[in-house]
Coordinates of all heavy atoms in Angstrom, one line a residue:
M1 N 0.8 -1.2 0.0 CA 0.0 0.0 0.0 C 0.9 1.3 0.0 O 0.4 2.3 -0.3 CB -0.9 0.0 1.2 CG -2.2 -0.8 1.0 SD -3.5 0.1 1.6 CE -4.1 -1.0 2.8
G2 N 2.1 1.2 0.4 CA 2.9 2.4 0.4 C 2.9 3.1 1.6 O 2.3 2.7 2.6
V3 N 3.5 4.3 1.6 CA 3.6 5.1 2.8 C 2.8 6.4 2.5 O 3.0 7.0 1.4 CB 5.1 5.5 3.2 CG1 5.1 6.5 4.3 CG2 5.9 4.2 3.5
D4 N 2.0 6.8 3.4 CA 1.2 8.1 3.2 C 1.9 9.2 3.9 O 2.2 9.2 5.1 CB -0.2 7.9 3.8 CG -1.0 6.9 3.1 OD1 -1.3 7.1 1.9 OD2 -1.2 5.8 3.6
V5 N 2.2 10.2 3.1 CA 3.0 11.4 3.5 C 2.1 12.6 3.4 O 1.5 12.9 2.4 CB 4.2 11.6 2.7 CG1 5.0 12.8 3.1 CG2 5.1 10.3 2.7
P6 N 2.0 13.4 4.5 CA 1.2 14.7 4.4 C 1.8 15.5 3.3 O 3.0 15.6 3.1 CB 1.4 15.3 5.8 CG 1.8 14.2 6.7 CD 2.5 13.2 5.8
N7 N 1.0 16.2 2.5 CA 1.4 17.1 1.4 C 1.0 18.5 1.7 O 0.1 18.8 2.5 CB 0.8 16.6 0.1 CG 1.2 15.2 -0.3 OD1 2.4 15.0 -0.4 ND2 0.3 14.3 -0.4
L8 N 1.6 19.4 1.0 CA 1.4 20.8 1.1 C 1.3 21.4 -0.3 O 2.1 21.1 -1.1 CB 2.5 21.5 1.9 CG 2.4 23.0 2.1 CD1 3.0 23.4 3.4 CD2 3.0 23.8 1.0
E9 N 0.2 22.2 -0.6 CA 0.1 22.9 -1.8 C -0.1 24.3 -1.6 O -0.7 24.7 -0.6 CB -1.2 22.4 -2.6 CG -1.2 21.0 -3.1 CD -2.5 20.7 -3.7 OE1 -2.9 21.4 -4.7 OE2 -3.1 19.7 -3.3
L10 N 0.4 25.2 -2.4 CA 0.2 26.6 -2.4 C -0.8 26.8 -3.6 O -0.5 26.4 -4.7 CB 1.5 27.4 -2.6 CG 1.3 28.9 -2.6 CD1 0.7 29.4 -1.3 CD2 2.7 29.5 -2.8
V11 N -1.9 27.4 -3.3 CA -2.9 27.6 -4.4 C -3.3 29.1 -4.5 O -3.3 29.8 -3.5 CB -4.2 26.8 -4.1 CG1 -3.9 25.3 -4.2 CG2 -4.9 27.1 -2.8
C12 N -3.7 29.5 -5.7 CA -4.1 30.8 -5.9 C -5.2 30.7 -7.0 O -5.1 30.2 -8.1 CB -3.0 31.7 -6.5 SG -3.5 33.4 -6.9
D13 N -6.4 31.3 -6.6 CA -7.6 31.3 -7.5 C -7.5 32.6 -8.3 O -8.0 33.6 -7.8 CB -8.9 31.1 -6.7 CG -10.1 31.0 -7.6 OD1 -9.9 31.2 -8.8 OD2 -11.1 30.6 -7.1
H14 N -7.0 32.5 -9.5 CA -6.9 33.7 -10.3 C -8.2 34.3 -10.8 O -8.3 35.4 -11.4 CB -5.9 33.5 -11.5 CG -4.5 33.3 -11.0 ND1 -3.6 34.3 -10.8 CD2 -3.8 32.1 -10.7 CE1 -2.5 33.8 -10.4 NE2 -2.5 32.5 -10.4
A15 N -9.3 33.5 -10.7 CA -10.6 33.9 -11.1 C -11.3 34.8 -10.1 O -12.5 35.2 -10.3 CB -11.4 32.7 -11.5
T16 N -10.7 35.0 -8.9 CA -11.4 35.8 -7.9 C -10.7 37.2 -7.9 O -9.5 37.4 -8.2 CB -11.2 35.2 -6.5 OG1 -9.8 35.0 -6.2 CG2 -11.9 33.8 -6.5
P17 N -11.5 38.2 -7.6 CA -11.0 39.6 -7.6 C -9.7 39.8 -6.8 O -8.8 40.5 -7.2 CB -12.1 40.5 -7.1 CG -13.4 39.6 -7.3 CD -12.9 38.2 -7.2
D18 N -9.7 39.2 -5.6 CA -8.6 39.4 -4.7 C -7.5 38.2 -4.8 O -6.6 38.2 -4.0 CB -9.1 39.4 -3.3 CG -9.7 38.2 -2.8 OD1 -10.1 37.3 -3.6 OD2 -9.9 38.0 -1.6
K19 N -7.7 37.4 -5.9 CA -6.8 36.3 -6.1 C -6.6 35.5 -4.9 O -5.5 35.3 -4.3 CB -5.4 36.8 -6.7 CG -5.5 37.4 -8.1 CD -4.2 37.7 -8.7 CE -4.4 38.2 -10.1 NZ -3.3 38.6 -10.7
Y20 N -7.7 35.0 -4.4 CA -7.7 34.2 -3.1 C -6.5 33.2 -3.2 O -6.4 32.4 -4.1 CB -9.0 33.4 -3.0 CG -9.0 32.4 -1.9 CD1 -9.1 32.9 -0.5 CD2 -9.0 31.1 -2.1 CE1 -9.0 32.0 0.5 CE2 -8.9 30.2 -1.0 CZ -9.0 30.6 0.3 OH -9.0 29.7 1.3
S21 N -5.7 33.2 -2.1 CA -4.6 32.4 -2.0 C -4.6 31.6 -0.7 O -5.1 32.1 0.3 CB -3.3 33.2 -2.1 OG -3.2 33.9 -3.3
A22 N -4.0 30.4 -0.7 CA -4.0 29.6 0.6 C -3.0 28.6 0.5 O -2.5 28.2 -0.6 CB -5.4 29.0 0.7
V23 N -2.6 28.1 1.7 CA -1.8 26.9 1.8 C -2.7 25.8 2.1 O -3.6 25.9 3.0 CB -0.7 27.1 2.9 CG1 0.0 25.7 3.2 CG2 0.3 28.1 2.6
R24 N -2.7 24.7 1.3 CA -3.6 23.6 1.5 C -2.8 22.4 2.0 O -1.8 22.0 1.4 CB -4.3 23.2 0.2 CG -5.2 22.1 0.2 CD -5.9 21.9 -1.1 NE -6.7 23.0 -1.5 CZ -6.9 23.4 -2.8 NH1 -6.5 22.6 -3.8 NH2 -7.7 24.4 -3.0
L25 N -3.2 21.9 3.2 CA -2.5 20.8 3.8 C -3.5 19.6 3.6 O -4.7 19.7 3.9 CB -2.3 21.0 5.3 CG -1.5 22.2 5.6 CD1 -1.5 22.4 7.2 CD2 -0.1 22.1 5.1
H26 N -2.9 18.5 3.2 CA -3.8 17.3 3.0 C -2.9 16.0 3.0 O -1.7 16.1 2.9 CB -4.5 17.4 1.6 CG -3.6 17.4 0.4 ND1 -3.2 16.2 -0.2 CD2 -3.0 18.4 -0.2 CE1 -2.4 16.5 -1.2 NE2 -2.3 17.8 -1.2
M27 N -3.6 14.9 3.2 CA -3.0 13.6 3.2 C -4.0 12.6 2.8 O -5.2 12.7 3.1 CB -2.2 13.3 4.5 CG -3.1 13.1 5.7 SD -2.1 12.6 7.1 CE -3.0 13.4 8.4
D28 N -3.6 11.5 2.1 CA -4.5 10.4 1.8 C -4.2 9.3 2.8 O -3.0 8.9 3.0 CB -4.2 9.9 0.4 CG -4.6 10.8 -0.7 OD1 -5.4 11.7 -0.4 OD2 -4.1 10.7 -1.8
L29 N -5.2 8.8 3.5 CA -5.1 7.7 4.4 C -5.8 6.5 3.7 O -7.0 6.3 3.8 CB -5.8 8.0 5.7 CG -5.2 9.2 6.5 CD1 -6.0 9.5 7.7 CD2 -3.7 9.1 6.8
S30 N -5.0 5.7 3.0 CA -5.5 4.6 2.2 C -6.0 3.4 3.1 O -5.5 3.3 4.2 CB -4.5 4.2 1.1 OG -3.4 3.8 1.7
F31 N -6.9 2.7 2.5 CA -7.3 1.4 3.1 C -7.8 0.5 2.0 O -8.1 1.0 0.9 CB -8.4 1.7 4.2 CG -9.6 2.5 3.6 CD1 -10.7 1.8 3.1 CD2 -9.6 3.8 3.7 CE1 -11.8 2.5 2.6 CE2 -10.7 4.6 3.3 CZ -11.8 3.9 2.7
P32 N -8.0 -0.8 2.3 CA -8.4 -1.7 1.3 C -9.8 -1.4 0.7 O -10.7 -1.0 1.5 CB -8.4 -3.1 2.0 CG -7.5 -2.9 3.1 CD -7.6 -1.5 3.5
H33 N -9.9 -1.5 -0.6 CA -11.2 -1.2 -1.2 C -12.4 -1.9 -0.6 O -13.5 -1.4 -0.5 CB -11.1 -1.5 -2.7 CG -12.4 -1.2 -3.5 ND1 -12.8 0.1 -3.7 CD2 -13.3 -2.0 -4.0 CE1 -14.0 0.1 -4.3 NE2 -14.3 -1.2 -4.5
H34 N -12.2 -3.2 -0.2 CA -13.3 -3.9 0.3 C -13.9 -3.4 1.6 O -15.0 -3.7 2.0 CB -13.0 -5.4 0.5 CG -12.0 -5.7 1.6 ND1 -10.7 -5.7 1.4 CD2 -12.2 -6.0 2.9 CE1 -10.1 -6.0 2.5 NE2 -11.0 -6.2 3.5
E35 N -13.1 -2.4 2.2 CA -13.6 -1.8 3.5 C -14.3 -0.5 3.2 O -14.9 0.1 4.1 CB -12.4 -1.6 4.4 CG -11.9 -2.9 4.9 CD -10.8 -2.7 5.9 OE1 -9.6 -2.4 5.5 OE2 -11.0 -3.0 7.1
L36 N -14.4 -0.1 2.0 CA -15.1 1.2 1.6 C -16.5 1.2 2.1 O -17.0 2.2 2.6 CB -15.0 1.4 0.1 CG -15.6 2.7 -0.4 CD1 -14.9 3.9 0.2 CD2 -15.5 2.7 -2.0
P37 N -17.4 0.1 1.9 CA -18.7 0.2 2.4 C -18.8 0.4 3.9 O -19.7 1.2 4.3 CB -19.3 -1.2 2.0 CG -18.5 -1.6 0.8 CD -17.1 -1.1 1.1
Q38 N -17.9 -0.2 4.7 CA -18.0 0.0 6.1 C -17.6 1.5 6.5 O -18.3 2.1 7.3 CB -17.0 -0.9 6.8 CG -17.0 -0.8 8.3 CD -18.4 -1.0 8.9 OE1 -18.9 -2.1 8.8 NE2 -18.9 0.0 9.6
V39 N -16.6 2.0 5.8 CA -16.2 3.4 6.1 C -17.3 4.3 5.7 O -17.7 5.3 6.5 CB -14.9 3.8 5.4 CG1 -14.6 5.3 5.5 CG2 -13.7 2.9 5.9
N40 N -18.0 4.1 4.6 CA -19.1 4.9 4.2 C -20.2 4.8 5.1 O -20.9 5.8 5.5 CB -19.5 4.5 2.8 CG -20.6 5.5 2.2 OD1 -20.3 6.7 2.2 ND2 -21.7 5.0 1.8
N41 N -20.5 3.6 5.6 CA -21.6 3.4 6.6 C -21.3 4.2 7.9 O -22.2 4.8 8.4 CB -21.7 1.9 6.9 CG -22.9 1.6 7.8 OD1 -24.0 2.0 7.5 ND2 -22.6 1.0 8.9
W42 N -20.1 4.2 8.4 CA -19.8 5.0 9.6 C -20.0 6.4 9.3 O -20.6 7.1 10.2 CB -18.3 4.8 10.0 CG -18.0 3.4 10.6 CD1 -18.8 2.7 11.4 CD2 -16.8 2.7 10.4 NE1 -18.1 1.5 11.7 CE2 -16.9 1.5 11.2 CE3 -15.6 3.0 9.8 CZ2 -15.9 0.6 11.2 CZ3 -14.6 2.0 9.9 CH2 -14.7 0.8 10.6
L43 N -19.6 6.9 8.2 CA -19.8 8.4 7.9 C -21.3 8.7 7.8 O -21.8 9.7 8.3 CB -19.1 8.8 6.6 CG -17.6 8.8 6.7 CD1 -16.9 8.9 5.4 CD2 -17.2 10.0 7.6
E44 N -22.1 7.8 7.1 CA -23.5 8.0 7.0 C -24.2 8.0 8.3 O -25.3 8.7 8.5 CB -24.1 7.0 6.0 CG -23.7 7.1 4.6 CD -24.3 8.4 3.9 OE1 -25.4 8.8 4.3 OE2 -23.6 8.9 3.1
H45 N -23.7 7.2 9.2 CA -24.4 7.1 10.5 C -23.7 7.9 11.7 O -24.0 7.7 12.8 CB -24.5 5.6 10.9 CG -25.5 4.9 10.0 ND1 -25.1 4.2 8.9 CD2 -26.8 4.8 10.0 CE1 -26.1 3.7 8.3 NE2 -27.2 4.1 8.9
H46 N -22.8 8.8 11.3 CA -22.1 9.6 12.2 C -21.4 8.8 13.3 O -21.3 9.2 14.5 CB -23.0 10.7 12.8 CG -23.7 11.5 11.8 ND1 -23.1 12.6 11.3 CD2 -24.9 11.4 11.2 CE1 -23.9 13.2 10.4 NE2 -25.0 12.5 10.3
A47 N -20.8 7.7 12.9 CA -20.1 6.8 13.8 C -18.6 7.3 13.9 O -17.7 6.6 13.4 CB -20.2 5.4 13.4
W48 N -18.4 8.5 14.4 CA -17.1 9.1 14.3 C -16.0 8.3 15.1 O -14.9 8.2 14.7 CB -17.2 10.5 14.8 CG -18.1 11.3 13.9 CD1 -19.4 11.7 14.2 CD2 -17.8 11.9 12.6 NE1 -19.9 12.4 13.1 CE2 -19.0 12.5 12.2 CE3 -16.7 11.9 11.8 CZ2 -19.0 13.2 10.9 CZ3 -16.7 12.5 10.6 CH2 -17.9 13.2 10.2
N49 N -16.4 7.8 16.3 CA -15.5 7.0 17.1 C -15.0 5.8 16.4 O -13.8 5.4 16.5 CB -16.1 6.7 18.4 CG -16.3 7.9 19.3 OD1 -15.6 8.9 19.1 ND2 -17.3 7.9 20.2
D50 N -15.9 5.1 15.7 CA -15.5 3.9 15.0 C -14.5 4.3 13.8 O -13.5 3.6 13.6 CB -16.7 3.2 14.4 CG -17.6 2.6 15.4 OD1 -17.1 2.2 16.5 OD2 -18.9 2.5 15.2
L51 N -14.8 5.3 13.1 CA -13.9 5.8 12.1 C -12.6 6.2 12.6 O -11.5 5.8 12.0 CB -14.6 6.9 11.3 CG -13.7 7.5 10.1 CD1 -13.4 6.4 9.1 CD2 -14.5 8.7 9.5
E52 N -12.6 6.9 13.7 CA -11.3 7.3 14.3 C -10.5 6.1 14.7 O -9.3 6.0 14.4 CB -11.5 8.2 15.5 CG -10.3 8.7 16.2 CD -10.5 9.6 17.3 OE1 -11.7 10.0 17.6 OE2 -9.5 9.9 18.0
L53 N -11.1 5.1 15.3 CA -10.4 3.9 15.7 C -9.8 3.2 14.5 O -8.6 2.8 14.4 CB -11.3 3.0 16.5 CG -10.7 1.7 17.0 CD1 -9.5 2.0 18.0 CD2 -11.7 0.8 17.7
F54 N -10.6 3.1 13.4 CA -10.2 2.4 12.2 C -9.0 3.1 11.6 O -8.0 2.4 11.2 CB -11.4 2.5 11.2 CG -11.1 2.0 9.8 CD1 -11.2 0.7 9.5 CD2 -10.8 2.9 8.8 CE1 -10.9 0.2 8.2 CE2 -10.6 2.5 7.5 CZ -10.6 1.1 7.2
L55 N -9.0 4.4 11.6 CA -7.9 5.2 11.0 C -6.6 5.2 11.8 O -5.5 5.1 11.4 CB -8.3 6.6 10.6 CG -9.3 6.7 9.5 CD1 -9.8 8.1 9.3 CD2 -8.8 6.2 8.2
T56 N -6.8 5.4 13.1 CA -5.7 5.5 14.0 C -5.0 4.2 14.2 O -3.8 4.2 14.5 CB -6.0 6.2 15.4 OG1 -7.1 5.4 16.0 CG2 -6.5 7.6 15.2
E57 N -5.7 3.1 14.1 CA -5.0 1.8 14.2 C -4.1 1.6 13.0 O -3.1 1.0 13.1 CB -6.1 0.7 14.2 CG -6.7 0.5 15.6 CD -7.7 -0.7 15.6 OE1 -8.1 -1.2 14.5 OE2 -8.1 -1.0 16.7
R58 N -4.5 2.1 11.8 CA -3.7 2.0 10.6 C -2.6 3.0 10.5 O -1.6 2.8 9.9 CB -4.6 2.1 9.4 CG -5.4 0.8 9.2 CD -6.6 1.0 8.3 NE -7.3 -0.2 8.0 CZ -8.1 -0.8 8.9 NH1 -8.3 -0.3 10.1 NH2 -8.7 -1.9 8.6
Y59 N -2.9 4.2 11.1 CA -1.9 5.3 11.0 C -1.6 5.9 12.4 O -2.0 7.1 12.6 CB -2.5 6.4 10.0 CG -2.6 5.8 8.6 CD1 -3.8 5.4 8.2 CD2 -1.6 5.8 7.8 CE1 -4.0 4.8 6.9 CE2 -1.7 5.3 6.5 CZ -2.9 4.8 6.1 OH -3.0 4.3 4.8
P60 N -1.0 5.2 13.3 CA -0.8 5.7 14.6 C 0.1 6.9 14.6 O 0.0 7.8 15.5 CB -0.1 4.5 15.4 CG 0.4 3.6 14.3 CD -0.5 3.8 13.1
Q61 N 1.0 7.1 13.6 CA 1.9 8.2 13.5 C 1.1 9.5 13.3 O 1.6 10.6 13.5 CB 2.9 8.0 12.5 CG 2.4 8.1 11.0 CD 1.9 6.7 10.5 OE1 1.4 5.9 11.2 NE2 2.0 6.5 9.2
H62 N -0.2 9.4 12.8 CA -1.0 10.6 12.5 C -2.2 10.7 13.5 O -3.1 11.4 13.3 CB -1.5 10.5 11.1 CG -0.5 10.5 10.1 ND1 0.5 11.5 10.0 CD2 -0.3 9.7 9.0 CE1 1.3 11.2 9.0 NE2 0.9 10.1 8.4
R63 N -2.1 10.0 14.6 CA -3.2 9.9 15.6 C -3.7 11.3 16.0 O -4.9 11.5 16.0 CB -2.8 9.1 16.8 CG -3.9 9.0 17.9 CD -3.5 8.1 19.1 NE -3.0 6.8 18.7 CZ -3.7 5.8 18.4 NH1 -5.0 5.8 18.5 NH2 -3.1 4.6 18.0
E64 N -2.8 12.2 16.4 CA -3.3 13.5 16.8 C -4.0 14.3 15.7 O -5.0 14.9 16.0 CB -2.0 14.3 17.3 CG -2.3 15.4 18.2 CD -1.1 16.0 18.8 OE1 -0.2 15.3 19.3 OE2 -0.9 17.3 18.7
A65 N -3.4 14.2 14.5 CA -4.1 15.0 13.4 C -5.4 14.3 13.0 O -6.4 15.1 12.8 CB -3.1 15.0 12.2
I66 N -5.5 13.0 13.0 CA -6.7 12.3 12.7 C -7.8 12.7 13.7 O -9.0 13.0 13.4 CB -6.5 10.8 12.6 CG1 -5.7 10.5 11.4 CG2 -7.9 10.1 12.6 CD1 -5.2 9.0 11.4
S67 N -7.5 12.6 15.0 CA -8.4 12.9 16.0 C -9.0 14.3 16.0 O -10.2 14.5 16.0 CB -7.8 12.6 17.4 OG -7.5 11.3 17.6
L68 N -8.1 15.3 15.8 CA -8.5 16.7 15.7 C -9.4 16.9 14.4 O -10.4 17.5 14.5 CB -7.3 17.6 15.7 CG -7.6 19.1 15.5 CD1 -8.5 19.6 16.7 CD2 -6.3 19.9 15.5
W69 N -8.9 16.3 13.3 CA -9.7 16.5 12.0 C -11.1 15.9 12.2 O -12.1 16.6 11.7 CB -8.9 15.8 10.9 CG -9.4 16.3 9.6 CD1 -10.5 15.8 8.9 CD2 -8.9 17.3 8.8 NE1 -10.6 16.4 7.7 CE2 -9.7 17.4 7.6 CE3 -7.8 18.2 8.9 CZ2 -9.4 18.3 6.6 CZ3 -7.5 19.0 7.9 CH2 -8.3 19.1 6.7
L70 N -11.2 14.7 12.7 CA -12.5 14.1 12.9 C -13.4 14.8 13.9 O -14.6 14.9 13.7 CB -12.4 12.6 13.2 CG -11.8 11.8 12.1 CD1 -11.7 10.3 12.5 CD2 -12.6 11.9 10.8
E71 N -12.8 15.3 14.9 CA -13.5 16.1 15.9 C -14.2 17.4 15.3 O -15.3 17.6 15.4 CB -12.6 16.5 17.1 CG -13.3 17.4 18.1 CD -12.3 17.9 19.2 OE1 -11.4 17.1 19.5 OE2 -12.5 19.0 19.7
C72 N -13.4 18.0 14.5 CA -13.9 19.2 13.7 C -14.9 18.8 12.7 O -15.9 19.5 12.5 CB -12.7 20.0 13.1 SG -11.6 20.7 14.3
S73 N -14.7 17.7 12.0 CA -15.6 17.2 11.0 C -17.0 16.8 11.6 O -18.0 17.2 11.1 CB -15.0 16.0 10.2 OG -13.9 16.4 9.5
Q74 N -16.9 16.2 12.8 CA -18.1 15.8 13.5 C -18.9 17.1 13.9 O -20.1 17.1 13.7 CB -17.8 15.0 14.7 CG -19.0 14.6 15.5 CD -18.7 13.8 16.7 OE1 -17.5 13.5 17.0 NE2 -19.7 13.3 17.4
A75 N -18.2 18.1 14.4 CA -18.9 19.3 14.8 C -19.6 20.0 13.6 O -20.7 20.4 13.7 CB -17.9 20.3 15.5
R76 N -18.9 20.0 12.5 CA -19.5 20.6 11.3 C -20.7 19.7 10.8 O -21.8 20.2 10.5 CB -18.5 20.7 10.2 CG -17.6 21.9 10.4 CD -16.5 22.1 9.3 NE -17.0 21.7 8.0 CZ -16.3 20.9 7.2 NH1 -15.1 20.3 7.6 NH2 -16.7 20.6 6.0
A77 N -20.6 18.4 10.8 CA -21.6 17.5 10.3 C -22.9 17.6 11.2 O -24.0 17.4 10.7 CB -21.1 16.1 10.3
E78 N -22.6 17.8 12.5 CA -23.8 17.9 13.4 C -24.2 19.3 13.6 O -25.0 19.6 14.5 CB -23.4 17.2 14.7 CG -23.1 15.7 14.5 CD -22.6 15.0 15.8 OE1 -22.4 15.7 16.8 OE2 -22.4 13.8 15.7
A79 N -23.7 20.2 12.9 CA -24.1 21.7 12.9 C -23.9 22.3 14.3 O -24.6 23.2 14.7 CB -25.5 21.9 12.4
N80 N -22.9 21.8 15.0 CA -22.5 22.3 16.3 C -21.5 23.4 16.2 O -21.2 24.1 17.1 CB -21.9 21.3 17.2 CG -23.0 20.2 17.6 OD1 -24.2 20.5 17.7 ND2 -22.5 19.0 17.9
D81 N -21.0 23.6 15.0 CA -19.9 24.5 14.7 C -20.2 25.1 13.3 O -20.4 24.3 12.4 CB -18.6 23.8 14.8 CG -17.4 24.7 14.9 OD1 -17.6 25.9 15.3 OD2 -16.3 24.3 14.5
P82 N -20.1 26.4 13.1 CA -20.3 26.9 11.8 C -19.2 26.5 10.9 O -18.1 26.2 11.3 CB -20.3 28.4 12.0 CG -19.5 28.6 13.3 CD -19.8 27.4 14.1
V83 N -19.5 26.4 9.6 CA -18.5 26.1 8.6 C -17.5 27.2 8.6 O -17.8 28.4 8.5 CB -19.1 25.9 7.2 CG1 -18.0 25.7 6.2 CG2 -20.1 24.7 7.2
T84 N -16.2 26.9 8.7 CA -15.2 27.9 8.8 C -14.5 28.0 7.5 O -14.1 27.0 6.8 CB -14.1 27.5 9.9 OG1 -14.8 27.4 11.1 CG2 -13.0 28.5 10.0
T85 N -14.3 29.2 7.0 CA -13.5 29.5 5.8 C -12.3 30.4 6.2 O -12.5 31.4 6.8 CB -14.4 30.3 4.8 OG1 -15.5 29.4 4.5 CG2 -13.6 30.5 3.5
L86 N -11.2 29.9 5.9 CA -10.0 30.7 6.2 C -9.5 31.4 4.9 O -9.4 30.8 3.9 CB -8.8 29.7 6.7 CG -9.2 28.9 7.9 CD1 -8.0 28.0 8.2 CD2 -9.5 29.8 9.1
R87 N -9.3 32.6 5.1 CA -8.9 33.4 3.9 C -7.7 34.3 4.3 O -7.7 34.8 5.4 CB -10.0 34.3 3.4 CG -11.1 33.5 2.8 CD -12.2 34.4 2.1 NE -13.2 33.7 1.5 CZ -13.2 33.4 0.2 NH1 -12.3 33.8 -0.6 NH2 -14.2 32.7 -0.3
A88 N -6.9 34.6 3.4 CA -5.8 35.5 3.6 C -6.4 36.9 3.6 O -7.3 37.2 2.9 CB -4.8 35.4 2.4
V89 N -5.9 37.7 4.5 CA -6.4 39.1 4.7 C -5.3 40.1 4.5 O -4.2 39.9 5.2 CB -7.1 39.3 6.1 CG1 -7.5 40.7 6.3 CG2 -8.2 38.3 6.3
N90 N -5.4 41.1 3.7 CA -4.4 42.1 3.6 C -4.6 43.1 4.7 O -5.7 43.6 4.9 CB -4.6 42.8 2.2 CG -4.2 41.9 1.1 OD1 -3.5 41.0 1.2 ND2 -4.9 42.1 -0.1
T91 N -3.6 43.5 5.4 CA -3.7 44.5 6.4 C -2.8 45.6 6.1 O -1.9 45.6 5.3 CB -3.2 43.8 7.8 OG1 -1.9 43.4 7.7 CG2 -4.2 42.7 8.2

C-alpha cells in the first residue's frame, strides 16, 4: 500500500478579484477497497469514534491529526460549529 505522507500545496484562484490564495494541507489515508462500504456506513451514521479507531489503528503516527480533524468534521456535520472558511487578509 505504500507510505502516506502529508502534502502541502500553495494555491491561488486567479478567477477571484482578490486572487484568493491559501496553503492547502492534505494527506491520503488509504485502506483496502473492500472496506469502503464500512467506512461509508460509519460516515452516513455519524459513527465518528468507529472511524477514528479504524484510521488511528492503521496510521498511529497521525493519531493526533486524525483525532482533531475528525472532531472538527463531526462538529460541522452535526451543525454544532459553523463552517469555517480561512482566507488571507491584507492588512
Side-chain angles (χ1 to χ4, degrees):
M1 277 224 238
V3 176
D4 293 293
V5 178
N7 295 304
L8 179 147
E9 291 179 55
L10 181 60
V11 297
C12 177
D13 185 348
H14 291 275
T16 58
D18 62 347
K19 292 188 179 175
Y20 172 72
S21 300
V23 171
R24 182 177 295 152
L25 304 173
H26 63 91
M27 66 178 146
D28 291 338
L29 301 174
S30 60
F31 55 88
H33 178 73
H34 71 271
E35 294 184 285
L36 182 61
Q38 180 60 61
V39 172
N40 189 55
N41 186 56
W42 287 327
L43 289 168
E44 290 292 325
H45 293 94
H46 302 277
W48 299 100
N49 292 334
D50 293 330
L51 179 59
E52 181 177 355
L53 182 61
F54 174 83
L55 292 173
T56 57
E57 283 180 350
R58 284 160 178 75
Y59 297 96
Q61 71 273 30
H62 299 309
R63 181 176 307 278
E64 200 171 310
I66 291 167
S67 295
L68 178 59
W69 195 277
L70 291 179
E71 178 184 326
C72 293
S73 296
Q74 179 179 4
R76 285 183 29 234
E78 296 174 358
N80 294 330
D81 194 22
V83 174
T84 302
T85 300
L86 302 177
R87 293 188 177 261
V89 177
N90 294 332
T91 57

